[in-house]
Amino acid sequence: MRLALDEARRAGPDVPVGAVVLAPDGTTVIGAGHNEREATGDPTAHAEVLAIRRAAADLGEWRLTGCTLVVTLEPCTMCAGATVQSRLDRVVYGARDEKAGAAGSVWDVVRDRRLNHRPEVIGGVLAEEAAVLLREFFRTP
């Protein structure tokens, strides 16, 4: 999670969310990203999507079986869907997103029984540290 927090701090003009994808060994980072919507003008440039894309490129395939997504904020519906579609084994997140969270807060896309893949979800890891980054960002005039 500390690596994801470092990524979040690189978000510049974007909302400070960072993500890393860990290889099946649980320690090797194979993809990393932070929000880049403002920087790129791409509405899909969320930290999770970028980290997943980079991990798939690193592995040379779209299936990220055995891998873990670590993200500072609970994934939204788009990112939760990308998590399911990429076959990640687990999602570890920091702060809950009470407005748009899709890993247990508002929705639970990643564990929906109607889907063919349901990653394990571990929430609340360094949640306060992640929340502070977000509060400071939104407090800034």
Side-chain angles (χ1 to χ4, degrees), residues 7-18 34-38 45-47 72-73 97 133-135 137-138:
E7 277 295 322
R9 290 182 186 99
R10 294 185 186 115
D14 275 285
V15 177
V17 177
H34 53 269
N35 279 353
E36 294 182 19
R37 291 181 308 168
E38 296 294 332
H46 288 206
T72 58
L73 180 64
D97 186 344
L133 281 176
L134 293 163
R135 281 194 299 267
F137 175 82
F138 287 109

Side-chain angles (χ1 to χ4, degrees), residues 20-24 29-32 47-65 67-69 82-83 85-88:
V20 296
V21 175
L22 302 175
V29 175
I30 58 172
E48 301 96 324
V49 170
L50 296 174
I52 289 169
R53 287 177 184 164
R54 292 167 184 156
D58 184 78
L59 293 180
E61 72 168 292
W62 65 269
R63 288 179 192 87
L64 300 179
T65 306
C67 297
T68 300
L69 172 67
T83 297
Q85 291 300 315
S86 63
R87 308 301 194 267
L88 284 156

Side-chain angles (χ1 to χ4, degrees), residues 74-78 80-81 97 100-111:
E74 180 182 0
C76 69
T77 54
M78 176 181 68
D97 186 344
S105 293
V106 179
W107 298 282
D108 202 353
V109 171
V110 294
R111 292 178 289 203

